[in-house]
Amino acid sequence: MKRTQQIELTNMCIIRNGDDILVMDKIDSEFENTITFPGGHVEPNESIEKSVIREIKKETGMDIKEPHLKSIVNFNLGNQNKEFIFVYEAEYNLKTSEGNIKQTYEGKTYWLHKDKIRFCKLNQVIETVYNT
């Protein structure tokens, strides 16, 4: 019996600034037309934590430090393949940080008050982890 399988490793990060949370309206992925959090794929030979720091910098221009693992979500992708999404959380203080949020081809990124998120169209991962 084969006990190995293909696994896709990805990450996303809930970035908080007081009562605001950084969200993305993705336009380039399976999360299109939903609110999601910034993140991306883990590169070969890269740690999960370093991948989330790199992806946040790439997608937002922000430098986050010491992200904390909040949850792991896994999905079956078919053909006995799985995707693991490592969901992190980090604090970001706009008062002590410089610069604006960088916008990329992946979608619009903006701050949203935590109480407004539930009224948005959320993707499956966000619905799974946001309120945990």
Side-chain angles (χ1 to χ4, degrees):
M1 173 196 276
K2 183 179 175 184
R3 295 186 184 249
T4 61
Q5 58 186 334
Q6 292 289 104
I7 297 176
E8 183 177 349
L9 301 175
T10 59
N11 65 64
M12 61 176 46
C13 192
I14 301 167
I15 302 172
R16 296 180 184 276
N17 179 37
D19 287 339
D20 291 332
I21 297 176
L22 192 67
V23 296
M24 290 185 81
D25 286 331
K26 287 283 236 181
I27 58 171
D28 73 329
S29 73
E30 70 271 17
F31 297 129
E32 192 169 331
N33 299 319
T34 64
I35 297 283
T36 191
F37 301 126
H41 286 85
V42 179
E43 298 295 332
N45 301 315
E46 181 179 45
S47 75
I48 307 294
E49 186 173 315
K50 289 209 186 291
S51 75
V52 75
I53 292 169
R54 176 186 52 77
E55 283 288 344
I56 296 308
K57 179 71 173 180
K58 181 180 108 177
E59 291 190 359
T60 70
M62 299 170 127
D63 291 307
I64 60 169
K65 295 180 179 152
E66 300 179 12
H68 301 280
L69 185 62
K70 178 177 176 69
S71 181
I72 300 171
V73 180
N74 90 54
F75 294 98
N76 290 321
L77 299 175
N79 298 328
Q80 297 184 347
N81 296 334
K82 292 185 184 241
E83 177 180 10
F84 283 84
I85 302 174
F86 295 82
V87 182
Y88 281 82
E89 195 165 40
E91 290 290 328
Y92 191 80
N93 188 335
L94 284 176
K95 293 176 185 173
T96 61
S97 303
E98 296 180 18
N100 295 324
I101 302 167
K102 178 176 107 177
Q103 301 296 323
T104 70
Y105 67 92
E106 296 186 42
K108 181 181 176 191
T109 306
Y110 55 96
W111 294 103
L112 187 63
H113 192 276
K114 67 180 183 178
D115 294 338
K116 294 183 179 181
I117 288 180
R118 62 188 164 136
F119 299 110
C120 298
K121 184 177 178 186
L122 306 177
N123 73 51
Q124 185 178 0
V125 176
I126 304 310
E127 287 179 350
T128 302
V129 302
Y130 179 69
N131 291 317
T132 60

